[in-house]
Each structure stands twice: as structure tokens, then as C-alpha cells.
Amino acid sequence: MTARVVIIGNGMAGARLAGELHAREGDRKVTVLGAEPHRAYNRILLSTLLAGRIDEPDVELTEAAGHGVDLRSGVRVTAVDRSAREVRTGDGERIGYDHLVLATGARAVVPPLPGLDPANLPERVVPFRTLDDCRRILAATDGARSALVLGGGLLGLEAARGLATRGLATTVVHPREHLMERQLDPTAGAVLAGTLAGFGVTVQLGVSATGVAADASGVRLDLADGRSLRADLLVLSCGVRPDTALAQAAGLTVRRGVVVDDRLRTSDRSISAIGDCAEHDGVLTGLVAPAWAQAQVLADVLTGTDPLARYRPRPVVTRLKAAGIDLASMGDASSGGPDEELTFADPTRGTYARLRIRDERLIGAILLGDNPAVGTVIQLFDRGQPVPSDRRALLLGRALGAVGATPAASPALMPDAATVCQCNTVSKGALVRSWRSGARTVDAVVAATRAGTGCGGCRDAVSGIVDWLSQAESVEVTR
């Protein structure tokens, strides 16, 4: 009997799960129901699209297609009938399932401010979450000279940098005392603010918004200190909230997200949840790497490829993807306890580094600006290896040798187990194996391994490894 798997959501988690299921053997029918009317797209690259560095086709994801996969875009699911094992769509259709997967993602938070109705936002006020949001922002920039961004977190800063790249005088308003307070310490936040100022982005910190007024002439943002800021456009980047409405209505256990176990099962064993809507061990992911890891585990469990597969979160590395800004944050870099701490700051050059070490292992780091050791630091954190004895070399990026060699220094010195692509957990060894199997270009290696298809931050490293392999082969042939 053909197993029926229904996936609600065709975002980065749902689309990846459909691809994982399609790639595995077995007799099953996979139905993907996506509320958005587009093909699946890479949400991480929307800020790059906003900056004008890529076009819409460049954000599209390769979707599972062919026998056994029924992909439906623009279909909204209105209810889940657990007793009948059916989902109901907005046009009244009932679709049966043997196993249902919720990949409903998260929605942009619209702050409860006078002048903002989440169901009817003014034309010049746009959240930044979806491809349609990005299109609306781009349309609003036509003829605009200035923009406000409410929210100085990761996505807000990416949006601000993109708007500034398009020539708009951009101001970020953030209620906290420094930018990206979840990932950075105050000093790093100050250095980042200085870097942004050099790109034409002004930052207003420690002040909350109290109201919004918008009309055809522009937008006014009222602040708690009595000031008002005016611009042609207001972008909202005030966080996201897991979309749990269907799960709650169906009676599933929901806290902040849909609660799942190590096998990604909800309180109903015939229903799973992955991605931004899922809460595992009390934690919401919000990043692509965990969502894709969950998709792989769930595909292994559902298809019987590995019935014992379990989701185990990996250490998370946060990268700011904005032109001219290189920022990596990982683990807990805040002060406290007997841990060893190393810091280096050069605000005039936009450089800051902070490392926290416990029991000879890296437990947290912030690297901003030109830090040659960033690849090494990420590898040490990801793999939990002992740090080099020369702490200054690790902090300042001088030659580290052996385990501390950076990918930029020489791919030959990288161990095969070194993770090159954090989003897809692709190691250097996997890249080398794909090369030896016949993938002889960067695009071919990317297609074979998926490296570089997430945030794209490892693309240069992948290219460097392919170049190194090409040169090594050339030397062997010459000899």
C-alpha cells in the first residue's frame, strides 16, 4: 500500500523534506501544500535580493518533482482533522494522510503600535519576511530617498544594509542599548554601529517606537523620547513568531512552538513538525541548518532508511549576510564565571574579536570585521576540539599550523572532517569525494553536495577547494 505523506508548508523546511523523501527508495505519495503562490525559495537570500546583488531566479530552490510528488502552490490549509486523518484546504478539498508534517514556519511580528493594523498595513510600511514582502519593499524604494528600519537584530540590519546599497538614507531604530543584543556584547555592537555608519546607515539605540503615521507622502515614526523620524518607507523587523495556529486548533501540544521529540513527532504520533514552527527540547530553531537537519532525520525515520535516527542539535553559528560586513557569532560569548577570555578591538577598522574558552575548548566567540582566523574558530567551536596553545594567534589570525590552519591558508591543511558548509553540514571530505566522483566544477560540486545552497557564505571556500583540487590534479598530470 502506498504511504501518503502530506507536508503543510513549501518553505525551506518543507521543500527540503520533500526532496529528502523523493531521494529515498520506497512506495509513497508526497503531497506538498504551500500557501505562498511561488516556487520554494531561499529566504536567507532575500536580503541579498533586496540589495540588488542577485535576481529573483537566484533565490529559487530546487524542488522535488516527478513520480510520487504532488506539489501545490497557493493552497492554504484551514484545518487538520486528526480523527479522519485529513487536512482541509481553503477551497474545500479534503486530503487524506498516513503521516502529516507541519512545516508552517513563522510569521513576522507586527508591533502593537497606534497606526499599525497587522491585517491592513499602510502601503509604505512593510515587514521583511517573505518574497512578497521583499517585492513590496523594492516597489516602495522606487523614487524613495530615505528609509526607516524598526529593529536592530540580524534581519533588520541585513535589510538596512540592502536599502543603503540602493542609495537610500537609512536609519535603524532599536529599543535596546546595542545592536544584535542576542548575539553581540556592547563593544561589538558599538563597532558594528560604526561600520554601518560608514555605509550610510544611522543607528538610534535605546529608544522605543510609540506610534506610526503613514500617507502617500511618507511615514512618520514617533519615539518614546518625544522625537519623530520621517522617511519614505518603514521596514518592520521586530522578530518572528512560530505559526502554530493549525496545530493549536487540532489540539496538539503547543508552547512557544509545536512541541516535538527527538524523532520530530508531535503529541500525535502520526503528525510531525519541523523548522521554525517546531519546538524541540524547549528550543526554537529559527535558522536553516537545524531545519534541514530535522528534514533529513524525519525522512530517515518515515522511510525506514534509519528508523533509529534522532535529531541532535549542532552548535549554532550566526552569520550576518550584508555586503562589506563580516560577522560571526557562536555559543555564549557573554562574561561570567572562571572562563578564559580573550578580546581584541580596533574600532577604526571595524574589527572586533572575543573568545571564551573553558577546559581548553571554545564555548563562545564574536568575530567582526577582518578576522583571518574566523574559519579556524568556527571549526574549533563546531567540532569541540582543544584550542591551540598560542591564544594570540587564534585571536589575531596568525599562522596556526595543523588543526588551526584556516581554509584560506591552504585546503591541503584542512582535515577531511572539517565542516565547510554549516547550513548543510558538508565537510571538506565530502567535497573531495564529489570531485573524485566526477564533479569537476564549482557548480557541479555544489549540485552534488548542496554546499553553498543555504546562506551562501561558504561559496568562496568551496571555490577555493575546487581550485586546489584542480591544481593538485594538474601537478600530478604534469609529473
Side-chain angles (χ1 to χ4, degrees):
M1 180 177 176
T2 301
R4 301 168 300 168
V5 179
V6 173
I7 303 171
I8 303 178
N10 192 34
M12 297 187 72
R16 174 55 66 92
L17 176 60
E20 294 282 356
L21 292 171
H22 184 60
R24 287 161 172 75
E25 295 181 356
D27 185 15
R28 71 188 69 86
K29 178 183 178 181
V30 179
T31 302
V32 184
L33 305 174
E36 293 186 70
H38 328 289
R39 294 186 58 180
Y41 58 89
N42 188 335
R43 196 183 309 278
I44 302 175
L45 297 181
L46 290 182
S47 57
T48 310
L49 176 63
L50 182 61
R53 297 168 58 198
I54 59 175
D55 298 319
E56 276 199 20
D58 298 316
V59 305
E60 292 182 351
L61 293 172
T62 301
E63 297 172 318
H67 179 69
V69 178
D70 181 11
L71 174 59
R72 307 186 195 180
S73 300
V75 176
R76 185 172 63 91
V77 176
T78 58
V80 175
D81 186 337
R82 292 167 54 191
S83 60
R85 290 199 175 184
E86 292 180 337
V87 300
R88 292 199 296 270
T89 67
D91 58 8
E93 184 180 5
R94 291 175 174 265
I95 302 172
Y97 66 83
D98 296 305
H99 197 91
L100 176 65
V101 182
L102 301 176
T104 49
R107 296 181 180 274
V109 171
V110 176
L113 295 175
L116 290 185
D117 177 1
N120 187 28
L121 289 175
E123 183 179 354
R124 293 179 178 269
V125 178
V126 190
F128 186 36
R129 175 67 180 172
T130 68
L131 179 57
D132 280 340
D133 292 337
C134 193
R135 288 172 173 172
R136 287 183 60 199
I137 294 172
L138 290 173
T141 61
D142 187 20
R145 295 183 177 181
S146 59
L148 295 169
V149 177
L150 185 57
L154 183 68
L155 193 58
L157 298 185
E158 290 180 357
R161 180 68 181 104
L163 291 167
T165 299
R166 289 186 173 273
L168 277 69
T170 304
T171 300
V172 174
V173 177
H174 192 53
R176 307 301 182 188
E177 296 300 323
H178 69 274
L179 298 171
M180 291 181 62
E181 70 280 355
R182 293 184 179 181
Q183 294 88 14
L184 305 183
D185 59 27
T187 304
V191 174
L192 178 57
T195 299
L196 288 167
F199 291 122
V201 178
T202 303
V203 176
Q204 301 286 340
L205 295 170
V207 60
S208 300
T210 58
V212 175
D215 55 29
S217 65
V219 181
R220 187 188 78 233
L221 182 66
D222 298 328
L223 304 180
D225 59 8
R227 291 180 298 151
S228 293
L229 303 178
R230 289 174 170 80
D232 299 313
L233 167 69
L234 171 61
V235 174
L236 302 177
S237 183
C238 304
V240 297
R241 184 175 295 118
D243 190 347
T244 61
L246 284 173
Q248 286 181 309
L252 299 176
T253 301
V254 174
R255 295 188 186 121
R256 290 187 299 159
V258 184
V259 176
V260 297
D261 61 15
D262 290 350
R263 300 177 69 182
L264 290 316
R265 298 178 302 188
T266 68
S267 51
D268 183 331
R269 292 197 172 194
S270 64
I271 302 178
S272 298
I274 61 173
D276 290 354
C277 71
E279 178 183 333
H280 174 266
D281 199 21
V283 177
L284 300 172
T285 61
L287 297 171
V288 66
W292 283 353
Q294 290 173 355
Q296 184 173 8
V297 168
L298 184 55
D300 283 342
V301 171
L302 292 181
T303 62
T305 303
D306 182 3
L308 299 180
R310 299 292 184 271
Y311 172 63
R312 296 287 185 266
R314 292 173 57 86
V316 174
V317 178
T318 301
R319 302 295 295 265
L320 177 61
K321 295 163 286 298
I325 303 175
D326 191 358
L327 169 64
S329 174
M330 61 209 81
D332 181 9
S334 59
S335 299
D339 303 322
E340 179 182 352
E341 292 193 12
L342 298 89
T343 60
F344 171 79
D346 186 355
T348 59
R349 296 191 178 187
T351 301
Y352 178 78
R354 181 176 185 175
L355 310 177
R356 284 189 71 195
I357 299 169
R358 179 183 301 162
D359 298 328
E360 295 300 307
R361 263 70 175 177
L362 190 67
I363 63 168
I366 300 170
L367 297 169
L368 172 62
D370 183 16
N371 283 289
V374 62
T376 300
V377 171
I378 290 175
Q379 292 297 330
L380 290 171
F381 175 75
D382 184 63
R383 299 166 64 193
Q385 289 189 328
V387 298
S389 58
D390 186 351
R391 306 289 206 254
R392 290 177 301 173
L394 182 63
L395 186 68
L396 302 177
R398 294 196 293 269
L400 297 171
V403 77
T406 69
S410 172
L413 298 177
M414 289 177 66
D416 280 353
T419 302
V420 177
C421 176
Q422 296 287 329
C423 295
N424 288 287
T425 320
V426 181
S427 65
K428 173 205 167 184
L431 298 175
V432 172
R433 288 191 294 274
S434 71
W435 169 272
R436 290 173 177 168
S437 298
R440 295 308 174 98
T441 66
V442 173
D443 287 344
V445 169
V446 167
T449 64
R450 290 175 169 164
T453 60
C455 71
C458 66
R459 188 83 181 200
D460 288 344
V462 174
S463 179
I465 290 172
V466 171
D467 288 344
W468 163 68
L469 289 166
S470 299
Q471 293 168 6
E473 182 182 69
S474 176
V475 170
E476 291 177 2
V477 171
T478 301
R479 289 178 178 175

